């Protein structure tokens, strides 16, 4: 459990340090009032963004503008005009009237009339100013206790955001504001009176509304003057939010009585010349200069707030306790730090710092947006939460966490680099441009045979001459660095301290300043001496293996292995076999026994090898391979078309002509060969015992090919093919051939048709055979039909035209016998 706790603390130590630290800093700055103006500006913006509320039908404003003043002809408005105004309004029976005009002095004409009106109007409330420079109330109304305070609370930026409900001067009773007196008088008729909720706290209930006094640190305020009984103004809006009529219209009796009856009437000036104007949250916009609001409209907002809260339950603006605000700021600070840490530790973002910063920026913006939306929605419900400190705590924690995490990563990277530098198996280095070691790790010193990096650095003053066996290699290294800025896998021979020579592989790059000037080179080297030795041994082994493979391929043809689906001779096992449709070629030297009797064994081997050297290429060039040599005989296989075998046989006979010319030049007699070809299904495989195996081909087709080779001597021709091979030729007309007989192979009942292919005959003989081909085959047909007399005549005619035709002579002799 303790180990798990330590791990958790280690992982979150940054957040555990940053979150409270940033929170304390933000709280200190907030306590110093640095964010007060920003908080007020945010609150103002929320008021402006809030949907427009419907006008309060319980309040009517009677305003005095410049036109009214011009029409009356003087300012202040004469007492007689005010008397006429109040009498006209009284006639429509309003519930209560508030006069937001200072009337501490008579304004003739009509003062006496005005005094009589005030004495006869019990629902008329006048005003006085008690805060700051005092302005007295009308004496008549003061004597009747029909006076309210006209004081407005102006914040440091000149705007009004609070409403004054009452004050209690020394040794005097509580004095209510104009808005409070009007609202209480109006609510009395509704049966709603003020109740004390807590005798120890100045909390009051008025209908559905609960009143709690403003404190000097409520909301965004810092050390505000909270004297008297204040509340935060929950503005309904500007003058357009209230029904408004002008003084002149009332005096002209142009206002319908029902518009006045049973309503709160507020009378005041909105003329610019009277200067009874103030800034409110609604008076500042981005696209227009600020405009001030008449004091009578502000009193109307406060009055509406009180009666709307009491009757309709319209919310007042509430704030969080100071401790809860601190917890909120701490929460946003934690959210910023935790989110920043999560994004920076995300493995998919970690390698890409730009993407990290972008993701962090998006996170901060989204969170700020959510905060603004959330606090705005809470504002609509009547709550004013601190915005600026929370957002600064969020942003500050996120940025500080990012910086902290970056420093942690840099520190870890440095520690990791130091561990790698000290413990790496490769030699890590930095070299100056003039060929000295700037830094080196222990592995580099060990590679070069020094006891320590310090000894290496102090000893080697010229890398080119002291380290490199071939200084030109170092020169080439420098040239590559200048051209490319880096080298990879640069191999060289170098001296160790004891004078021995080793191989190294070098990887390096240039390190430049901001202007692109090279400062030094850095990289690492590997000792590849063993690898080089192994490479030499491997190359020698490869060459030896190649020679062995070449040797094995002379005994077991590569094509034979392919037909067995084997990659190497080492894969061949006893009993491996494969069935293929192939052509088999047998070739043999005629009268070889007689020839060999006149030669020594050495001469015999030389003769055979020389002969075979002429024959082998003809087979290989036509996609065949030699299965075996049987003395002077050759057995070759063709896995492709039958044409390959026939073309190989023709080429062998052509090569034989060249070989015979060579023999004749040497005074030796020419030789003759016979070739037989057959095509059919054959079984290829390995036979033998435990200690010796051999490749072989087993098939009746092989026997027939061997039989055809023997028949070449009997028929006096060089090349015979079976009708099986003939049937597999792509186009028999490509060859010079003729049918010369039908033979019966030993062990078989069916006869096989045999064809003489004479493409290799001398050109004159070949042309004559082609001309007599039809005659010869007719004679052969008559011979097998036992019409020997006619057959003899035709064979005789063939011989007369082709005296060299040995086959025709043989058949003529048979006919005669």
């Amino acid at each position: 459990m303790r180990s798990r706790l330590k791990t958790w603390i280690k992982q979150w130590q940054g957040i555990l340090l940053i979150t409270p630290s940033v929170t304390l800093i933000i709280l200190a700055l907030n306590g110093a009032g640095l964010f007060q103006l920003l908080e007020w500006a945010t609150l103002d913006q929320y008021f402006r963004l809030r949907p427009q509320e419907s006008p309060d039908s319980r309040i009517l404003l009677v305003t005095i503008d410049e036109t009214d003043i011009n029409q009356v002809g003087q300012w202040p408005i004469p007492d007689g005009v005010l008397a006429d105004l109040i009498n006209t309004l009284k006639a429509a029976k309003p519930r209560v009237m508030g006069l937001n005009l200072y009337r501490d002095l008579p304004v003739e004409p009509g003062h006496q009339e005005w005094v009589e009106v005030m004495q006869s109007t019990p629902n008329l409330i006048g005003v006085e100013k008690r805060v700051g420079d005092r302005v007295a109330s009308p004496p008549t109304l003061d004597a009747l206790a029909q006076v309210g305070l006209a004081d407005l609370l102006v914040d440091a930026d000149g705007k009004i955001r609070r409403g004054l409900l009452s004050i209690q001067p020394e040794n005097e009773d509580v004095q209510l504001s104009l808005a409070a007196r009007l609202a209480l008088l109006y609510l009395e008729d509704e049966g709603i009176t003020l109740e004390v909720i807590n005798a120890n706290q100045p909390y009051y209930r008025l209908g559905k509304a609960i009143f709690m006094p403003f404190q000097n640190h409520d909301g965004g305020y810092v050390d505000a003057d909270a004297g008297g009984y204040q509340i935060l103004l929950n503005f309904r809006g500007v003058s357009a939010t209230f029904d408004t009529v002008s003084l002149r219209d009332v005096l002209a009796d142009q206002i319908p009585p029902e518009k006045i009856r049973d309503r709160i009437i507020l009378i005041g000036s909105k003329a610019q010349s009277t200067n009874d104007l103030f800034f409110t949250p609604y008076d500042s916009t981005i696209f227009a200069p600020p405009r001030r609001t008449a004091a009578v409209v502000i009193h109307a907002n406060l009055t509406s707030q009180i009666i709307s809260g009491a009757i309709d339950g319209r919310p007042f603006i509430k704030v969080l306790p100071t401790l809860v605000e601190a917890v909120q700021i701490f929460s946003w600070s934690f959210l910023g730090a935790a989110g920043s840490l999560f994004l920076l530790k995300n493995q998919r973002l970690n390698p890409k710092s730009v993407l990290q910063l972008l993701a962090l920026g998006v996170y901060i913006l989204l969170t700020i947006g959510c905060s603004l939306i959330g606090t705005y929605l809470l504002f609509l419900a009547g709550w004013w939460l601190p915005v600026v400190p929370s957002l600064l705590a969020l942003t500050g924690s996120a940025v500080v966490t990012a910086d902290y995490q970056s420093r942690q990563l840099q520190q870890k990277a440095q520690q990791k680099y130091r561990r790698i530098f000290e413990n790496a198996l490769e030699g890590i280095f930095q070299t100056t441009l003039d060929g000295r070691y700037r830094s080196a790790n222990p592995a580099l010193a060990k590679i070069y045979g020094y006891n320590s990096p310090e000894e290496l650095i102090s000893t080697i003053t010229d890398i080119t001459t002291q380290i490199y066996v071939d200084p030109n290699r170092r020169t080439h290294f420098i040239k590559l660095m200048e051209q490319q800025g880096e080298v990879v896998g640069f191999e060289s021979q170098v001296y160790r301290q004891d004078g021995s020579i080793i191989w190294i592989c070098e990887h390096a790059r240039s390190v430049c300043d901001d202007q692109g000037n090279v400062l030094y080179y850095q990289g690492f080297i590997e000792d590849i001496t063993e690898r080089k030795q192994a490479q030499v041994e491997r190359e020698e082994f490869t060459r030896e293996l190649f020679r062995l493979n070449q040797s094995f391929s002379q005994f077991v043809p590569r094509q034979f292995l392919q037909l067995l689906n084997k990659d190497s001779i080492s894969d061949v096992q006893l009993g491996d076999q494969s069935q293929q449709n192939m052509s088999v070629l047998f070739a043999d030297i005629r009268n070889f026994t007689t020839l060999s009797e006149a030669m020594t064994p050495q001469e015999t081997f030389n003769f055979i090898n020389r002969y075979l050297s002429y024959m082998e290429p003809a087979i290989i060039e036509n996609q065949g391979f030699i299965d075996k040599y049987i003395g002077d005989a050759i057995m070759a296989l063709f896995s492709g078309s039958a044409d390959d075998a026939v073309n190989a046989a023709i080429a062998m006979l052509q090569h034989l002509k060249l070989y015979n010319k060579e023999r004749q030049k040497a005074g030796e007699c020419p030789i003759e060969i016979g070739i037989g070809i057959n095509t059919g299904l054959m079984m290829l495989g390995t036979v033998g015992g435990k200690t010796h195996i051999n490749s072989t081909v087993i098939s009746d087709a092989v026997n027939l090919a061997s039989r055809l080779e023997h028949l070449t001597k009997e028929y006096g021709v060089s090349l015979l093919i079976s009708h099986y091979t003939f049937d597999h030729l792509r186009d028999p007309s490509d060859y010079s051939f003729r049918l010369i007989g039908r033979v019966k192979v030993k062990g078989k009942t069916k006869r096989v048709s045999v064809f003489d292919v004479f493409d290799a005959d001398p050109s004159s003989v070949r042309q004559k055979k082609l001309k007599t081909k039809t005659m010869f085959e007719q004679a052969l047909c008559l011979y097998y039909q036992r019409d020997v007399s006619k057959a003899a005549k035709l064979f005789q005619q063939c011989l007369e035209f082709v005296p060299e035709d040995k086959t025709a002579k043989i058949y003529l002799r048979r006919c005669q016998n």
Side-chain angles (χ1 to χ4, degrees):
M1 182 68 181
R2 180 177 298 177
S3 175
R4 185 178 299 176
L5 179 60
K6 287 183 178 180
T7 303
W8 184 86
I9 292 175
K10 185 176 181 180
Q11 290 177 344
W12 290 82
Q13 63 180 358
I15 293 179
L16 295 177
L17 290 172
I18 293 170
T19 299
S21 300
V22 172
T23 302
L24 290 175
I25 293 172
I26 295 297
L27 288 175
L29 295 175
N30 189 46
L34 297 183
F35 309 139
Q36 184 172 247
L37 291 177
L38 293 174
E39 280 295 324
W40 290 346
T42 304
L43 178 66
D44 295 347
Q45 187 62 40
Y46 283 178
F47 271 115
R48 291 192 291 272
L49 290 175
R50 189 170 65 178
Q52 183 71 38
E53 295 188 52
S54 59
D56 193 337
S57 60
R58 293 165 293 217
I59 297 176
L60 175 67
L61 300 183
V62 178
T63 60
I64 301 170
D65 56 17
E66 297 294 346
T67 303
D68 293 320
I69 294 173
N70 292 330
Q71 185 173 319
V72 172
Q74 72 176 77
W75 180 262
I77 298 296
D79 290 343
V81 175
L82 288 180
D84 291 341
L85 174 65
I86 298 302
N87 285 328
T88 303
L89 293 171
K90 280 172 59 178
K93 299 181 180 181
R95 188 175 298 189
V96 61
M97 291 181 288
L99 180 64
N100 186 39
L101 296 173
Y102 295 118
R103 309 302 293 188
D104 55 327
L105 298 173
V107 181
E108 297 293 351
H111 177 66
Q112 187 58 41
E113 182 184 355
W114 169 235
V115 171
E116 294 174 359
V117 168
M118 287 189 287
Q119 291 175 342
S120 62
T121 310
N123 62 346
L124 174 64
I125 306 297
V127 294
E128 64 176 329
K129 189 176 185 305
R130 297 294 298 271
V131 180
D133 297 331
R134 184 170 179 178
V135 179
S137 60
T140 304
L141 293 178
D142 186 48
L144 297 170
Q146 294 175 213
V147 177
L149 301 174
D151 296 277
L152 296 176
L153 302 174
V154 181
D155 289 333
D157 62 347
K159 292 186 179 180
I160 293 176
R161 300 181 181 87
R162 294 169 288 155
L164 183 65
L165 297 183
S166 68
I167 62 172
Q168 187 173 9
E170 270 189 56
N171 303 321
E172 295 185 37
D173 294 333
V174 173
Q175 302 291 319
L176 295 178
S177 68
L178 174 63
R181 294 211 62 162
L182 295 175
L184 289 174
L185 289 171
Y186 183 88
L187 292 172
E188 281 181 6
D189 290 350
E190 301 292 331
I192 299 174
T193 59
L194 195 66
E195 304 173 24
V196 178
I197 296 177
N198 188 335
N200 299 321
Q201 297 286 344
Y203 295 164
Y204 301 96
R205 183 190 306 278
L206 184 64
K208 296 179 181 180
I210 302 294
F211 288 85
M212 289 182 288
F214 170 81
Q215 303 296 324
N216 58 355
H217 282 88
D218 279 357
Y221 284 90
V222 179
D223 289 332
D225 182 1
Y229 201 106
Q230 307 174 25
I231 62 172
L232 291 170
L233 265 171
N234 188 9
F235 285 92
R236 181 178 288 271
V238 291
S239 57
T241 311
F242 301 96
D243 289 339
T244 304
V245 296
S246 66
L247 171 68
R248 59 186 178 277
D249 289 340
V250 175
L251 293 175
D253 202 18
Q254 294 180 357
I255 307 303
E258 60 269 16
K259 195 169 185 177
I260 301 173
R261 184 177 297 113
D262 207 33
R263 300 178 80 173
I264 297 174
I265 308 300
L266 266 166
I267 305 165
S269 171
K270 67 175 183 179
Q272 293 288 328
S273 61
T274 63
N275 202 32
D276 195 17
L277 304 169
F278 298 87
F279 289 112
T280 68
Y282 293 96
D283 296 326
S284 295
T285 61
I286 298 176
F287 303 105
R291 297 183 61 185
R292 295 183 296 173
T293 300
V296 68
V297 177
I298 298 173
H299 289 301
N301 270 280
L302 183 56
T303 306
S304 175
Q305 181 175 338
I306 296 171
I307 62 177
S308 296
I311 298 174
D312 306 325
R314 182 173 180 263
F316 287 6
I317 294 180
K318 300 179 285 296
V319 297
L320 297 174
T322 303
L323 180 60
V324 178
E325 285 186 356
V327 173
Q328 178 196 352
I329 294 171
F330 177 86
S331 301
W332 282 103
S333 178
F334 176 81
L335 188 62
S340 178
L341 183 65
F342 172 77
L343 290 172
L344 294 175
K345 285 192 172 184
N346 191 308
Q347 294 298 320
R348 288 175 290 183
L349 301 178
N350 194 35
K352 304 175 183 176
S353 58
V354 175
L355 189 58
Q356 271 186 344
L357 295 177
L358 180 61
L360 181 60
V362 171
Y363 169 74
I364 293 175
L365 291 176
L366 288 177
T367 312
I368 289 175
C370 292
S371 172
L372 293 174
I373 293 172
T375 52
Y376 173 69
L377 294 176
L378 289 172
F379 171 75
L380 295 180
W383 286 92
W384 181 21
L385 272 63
V387 176
V388 176
S390 300
L391 297 185
L392 289 177
L394 166 77
T395 307
S397 292
V399 173
V400 172
T401 301
D403 180 69
Y404 173 81
Q405 185 67 15
S406 176
R407 293 178 184 274
Q408 288 290 99
L409 291 175
Q410 289 178 0
Q411 185 178 358
K412 289 180 181 179
Q414 290 174 355
Q415 293 174 352
K416 182 178 180 182
Y417 175 77
R418 177 53 56 183
R419 288 196 300 269
I420 293 173
F421 186 80
E422 296 293 339
N423 302 317
L425 298 177
E426 297 85 3
I428 302 174
F429 65 85
Q430 289 181 345
T431 62
T432 62
L433 302 184
D434 60 353
R436 297 175 63 94
Y437 278 108
R438 195 167 178 261
S439 67
N441 70 335
L444 185 67
K446 184 178 179 180
I447 290 173
Y448 286 134
Y450 291 88
N451 295 322
S452 67
E454 293 76 17
E455 182 184 0
L456 170 65
I457 294 172
S458 62
T459 303
I460 304 301
T461 59
D462 187 351
I463 296 174
T464 303
T465 58
Q466 292 178 265
I467 294 293
Y468 282 81
V469 174
D470 182 4
N472 290 329
R473 288 295 292 168
R474 179 65 179 178
T475 303
H476 184 49
F477 171 87
I478 299 298
K479 185 178 293 185
L480 288 176
M481 293 295 290
E482 292 174 349
Q483 294 175 349
Q484 304 174 7
E486 66 175 350
V487 294
V488 178
F490 190 82
E491 297 181 355
S492 306
Q493 285 184 302
V494 296
Y495 293 111
R496 299 184 82 242
Q497 187 185 29
D498 58 8
S500 60
I501 297 175
I502 61 172
W503 278 93
I504 64 167
C505 181
E506 198 163 0
H507 308 261
R509 67 180 183 87
S510 301
V511 178
C512 304
D513 59 16
D514 295 338
Q515 287 73 38
N517 301 315
V518 179
L519 299 176
Y520 56 88
Y521 306 133
Q522 70 177 18
F524 66 92
I525 68 170
E526 303 171 84
D527 184 351
I528 59 170
T529 304
E530 292 184 1
R531 191 179 79 190
K532 278 291 186 179
Q533 293 173 349
Q535 181 179 346
V536 172
E537 294 173 359
R538 185 168 59 251
E539 290 175 354
E540 180 59 32
F541 175 76
T542 302
R543 286 193 293 270
E544 181 62 25
L545 186 62
F546 179 76
R547 289 193 295 269
L548 287 174
N549 284 333
Q550 289 292 98
S551 300
F552 279 126
S553 67
Q554 293 175 337
F555 290 94
V556 180
R558 177 177 50 82
Q559 295 93 330
F560 186 87
L561 295 177
Q562 292 174 347
L563 292 172
L564 290 179
N565 294 321
K566 303 295 181 181
D567 296 326
S568 170
I569 192 171
S570 61
D571 299 329
V572 177
Q573 301 291 328
L574 180 64
D576 288 340
Q577 49 81 28
S578 175
Q579 198 171 28
Q580 301 282 340
N581 194 42
M582 305 175 66
S583 296
V584 58
L585 178 150
F586 272 92
D588 194 13
I589 301 175
R590 293 177 183 166
N591 303 318
F592 175 70
T593 303
T594 304
L595 288 171
S596 62
E597 288 176 352
M599 293 184 287
T600 65
Q602 181 64 50
E603 291 174 339
T604 303
F605 273 98
N606 292 341
F607 163 68
I608 292 175
N609 288 334
R610 186 60 179 163
Y611 160 72
L612 294 177
S613 68
Y614 272 88
M615 299 298 107
E616 181 185 47
I619 296 172
I620 302 302
E621 290 167 2
N622 286 281
Q623 291 73 52
F625 66 93
I626 297 171
D627 178 65
K628 59 175 63 73
Y629 295 118
I630 311 167
D632 63 309
I634 300 173
M635 176 180 171
L637 299 175
F638 297 84
S639 59
S641 67
D643 294 80
D644 292 336
V646 174
N647 288 327
I650 295 171
M652 290 171 67
L653 294 172
Q654 298 291 357
H655 289 189
L656 179 65
K657 294 178 182 179
L658 299 177
Y659 178 54
N660 281 331
K661 288 182 180 180
E662 182 182 318
R663 287 180 58 84
Q664 288 174 341
K665 288 181 180 179
E668 298 171 342
C669 60
I671 61 173
E672 294 182 0
I673 64 172
I675 301 174
I677 301 175
N678 186 35
T679 302
L681 196 62
M682 303 180 192
M683 183 72 72
L684 293 88
T686 56
V687 295
K690 293 181 179 180
T691 60
H692 180 73
I693 63 175
N694 199 0
S695 62
T696 188
V697 180
I698 302 173
S699 173
D700 287 340
V702 176
N703 296 332
L704 178 56
S706 177
R707 174 63 176 152
L708 292 177
E709 184 274 318
H710 288 295
L711 287 176
T712 58
K713 185 176 182 180
E714 181 178 338
Y715 285 103
V717 295
S718 298
L719 172 59
L720 290 180
I721 64 173
S722 68
H723 72 265
Y724 300 111
T725 299
F726 184 85
D727 291 340
H728 282 82
L729 293 175
R730 288 189 291 262
D731 187 357
S733 63
D734 292 339
Y735 306 97
S736 301
F737 68 90
R738 62 181 180 177
L739 179 67
I740 64 167
R742 300 181 67 235
V743 299
K744 184 177 180 183
V745 181
K746 183 177 181 181
K748 299 293 182 179
T749 58
K750 291 185 178 180
R751 291 182 174 272
V752 178
S753 297
V754 180
F755 293 84
D756 170 24
V757 180
F758 48 87
D759 288 80
D761 284 3
S763 178
S764 58
V765 175
R766 183 169 61 85
Q767 294 298 329
K768 293 176 182 179
K769 283 186 177 182
L770 286 174
K771 291 181 179 180
T772 59
K773 173 182 175 180
T774 303
M775 186 188 305
F776 179 88
E777 290 177 347
Q778 289 177 350
L780 190 63
C781 181
L782 293 171
Y783 173 80
Y784 281 108
Q785 291 176 359
R786 295 292 190 270
D787 192 350
V788 293
S789 59
K790 290 184 180 179
K793 290 181 181 180
L794 292 176
F795 283 130
Q796 182 62 45
Q797 292 178 15
C798 289
L799 283 171
E800 290 176 358
F801 193 76
V802 193
E804 301 89 347
D805 191 352
K806 296 180 181 179
T807 307
K809 291 180 181 179
I810 293 170
Y811 273 109
L812 178 59
R813 192 180 307 115
R814 289 179 182 177
C815 291
Q816 292 172 347
N817 293 335

